[in-house]
Amino acid sequence: MSSVFGASTIISTLVPLVVILGLLMAAAYVARRWRDGNLGARRTGQNAITIVATRPVGPGAALMIVEAEGQRFLVSSGRQGLTPIGALGGTTPPAFSSLLDTAQSPAPDA
């Protein structure tokens, strides 16, 4: 007498289960890509736009440093949308100590 739970019964139960789980995982992946807005889009090194830093400045408002094609931009984000403020230069600001020395040095007599 064969058992009710033979090998064929277990296989015939597991195969559809694995297929259904695979379809659920694929649907979750597509839904995540759709939600992020990059379904079918691939990021390349030169075409990527990344948010480098975000700083909240008030309720519903923030300043962001955005990098695109190797350049950085300062952007304001608020209830009215995004507002470009300007491009950020690649120069490093002077150290605070050098600014302090300049401010404390006596002015030349004219």
Side-chain angles (χ1 to χ4, degrees):
M1 182 170 178
S2 68
S3 89
V4 175
F5 294 109
S8 65
T9 305
I10 292 173
I11 290 174
S12 66
T13 303
L14 287 179
V15 169
L17 180 64
V18 168
V19 169
I20 290 172
L21 287 176
L23 289 173
L24 283 174
M25 288 173 47
Y29 174 77
V30 169
R32 203 170 326 125
R33 298 273 306 222
W34 185 277
R35 180 193 65 203
D36 293 342
N38 59 358
L39 185 65
R42 294 186 184 245
R43 292 185 180 179
T44 61
Q46 293 297 321
N47 295 330
I49 298 174
T50 57
I51 297 175
V52 176
T54 302
R55 180 73 48 159
V57 292
L63 288 174
M64 298 183 294
I65 297 176
V66 179
E67 186 171 331
E69 295 187 7
Q71 294 181 333
R72 289 188 175 190
F73 302 94
L74 185 61
V75 177
S76 170
S77 170
R79 291 189 178 113
Q80 293 81 19
L82 296 175
T83 304
I85 295 175
L88 299 176
T91 60
T92 307
F96 179 73
S97 60
S98 67
L99 291 175
L100 186 61
D101 291 339
T102 305
Q104 290 179 345
S105 64
D109 294 330

